[in-house]
Amino acid sequence: MSVSAVRRFPAILFAVGTCAATGGLVRALAAGPGRAPGMAAVLIAAYLGWVFLEVRVSFRTAGEPASEDDRGSELLYGLARLATVLAAVYGPLPRAPWQPWMLVPAALLSAGAALRLLSIRALGRFYSHRVRTVEGHRIADGGPYRLLRHPAYAGMLLAHLGLVSFFCNPVSVVLLLGAFLPAIVYRIRVEERMLYAVEGYRAFALGRKRLVPFVW
């Protein structure tokens, strides 16, 4: 794949993903007056709202990179995310009447999106979809970074766990656990190969788990 194609990848994926998710929203709204399909529409709309909140930073670059070594992680991560979401929203819609447990997936999605947005804010100008460092790069240790090395990915995973757990069809579960989660882990590994060269990262990493508190 050419360098220019790689650079266009986030914009292409954003366009495809938002159009496809919007189609899933229309499908849920057209499913009938049942309250469970209505909840499906609420979750998909919330997901799309989160995606649009990230538009401003999704295509931002933090200046010329001092170093960059993505190792295909952006492509793998983006495709795995897209496949997981589409498998969820285009799978069978829940037909049962609304039940209180349906608030749990909504809470997970909301909490995950909030954690990710707070993490992006804490990173400030150093946030980028590409695995890179810039001149004057420093380690963020405020906000959610007080607890985890990679809270933005923790939020991403939590939000998608919420989405998938509501629709809970086998394909979306397999993709979440068998594709999206490994893609996140791979991307973290790629990032840390570069971050360990940044002053202060080793000390920062010693006191924090990567993705899940007390686990990893």
Side-chain angles (χ1 to χ4, degrees), residues 143-216:
Y145 288 89
R146 292 190 178 96
L147 303 175
L148 290 170
R149 296 186 219 174
H150 302 281
Y153 293 131
M156 178 69 76
L157 186 59
L158 185 63
H160 286 80
L161 177 63
L163 186 72
V164 169
S165 65
F166 177 81
F167 294 96
C168 204
N169 67 73
V171 176
S172 63
V173 173
V174 168
L175 285 169
L176 177 71
L177 299 178
F180 194 38
L181 176 58
I184 289 175
V185 171
Y186 172 65
R187 187 165 173 84
I188 287 172
R189 295 291 194 188
V190 171
E191 281 193 10
E192 290 198 335
R193 285 172 62 94
M194 184 171 293
L195 287 172
Y196 271 113
V198 177
E199 182 180 357
Y201 189 78
R202 288 185 182 277
F204 168 83
L206 282 175
R208 298 163 176 83
K209 295 297 184 182
R210 294 178 177 89
L211 196 61
V212 182
F214 310 110
V215 179
W216 184 79

Side-chain angles (χ1 to χ4, degrees), residues 17-147:
T18 52
C19 288
T22 301
L25 174 60
V26 172
R27 173 176 176 260
L29 289 170
R35 295 179 70 183
M39 188 66 175
V42 168
L43 284 176
I44 298 170
Y47 187 92
L48 283 166
W50 164 38
V51 169
F52 279 105
L53 283 175
E54 284 195 29
V55 168
R56 184 176 62 86
V57 296
S58 292
F59 311 118
R60 183 186 66 194
T61 60
E64 288 301 314
S67 59
E68 182 171 345
D69 190 9
D70 191 77
R71 293 176 179 258
S73 65
E74 183 182 30
L75 177 63
L76 181 65
Y77 171 78
L79 290 175
R81 178 184 181 182
L82 178 62
T84 300
V85 171
L86 296 190
V89 303
Y90 283 98
L93 291 172
R95 302 300 303 178
W98 183 88
Q99 299 175 37
W101 71 263
M102 293 178 180
L103 293 175
V104 175
L108 292 175
L109 173 59
S110 300
L115 176 58
R116 179 166 171 84
L117 291 169
L118 285 171
S119 302
I120 291 172
R121 182 175 181 179
L123 282 175
R125 72 181 185 89
F126 299 112
Y127 175 81
S128 172
H129 274 207
R130 300 286 294 170
V131 177
R132 63 192 302 187
T133 60
V134 296
E135 293 296 335
H137 205 106
R138 63 173 179 81
I139 301 303
D141 56 6
Y145 288 89
R146 292 190 178 96
L147 303 175

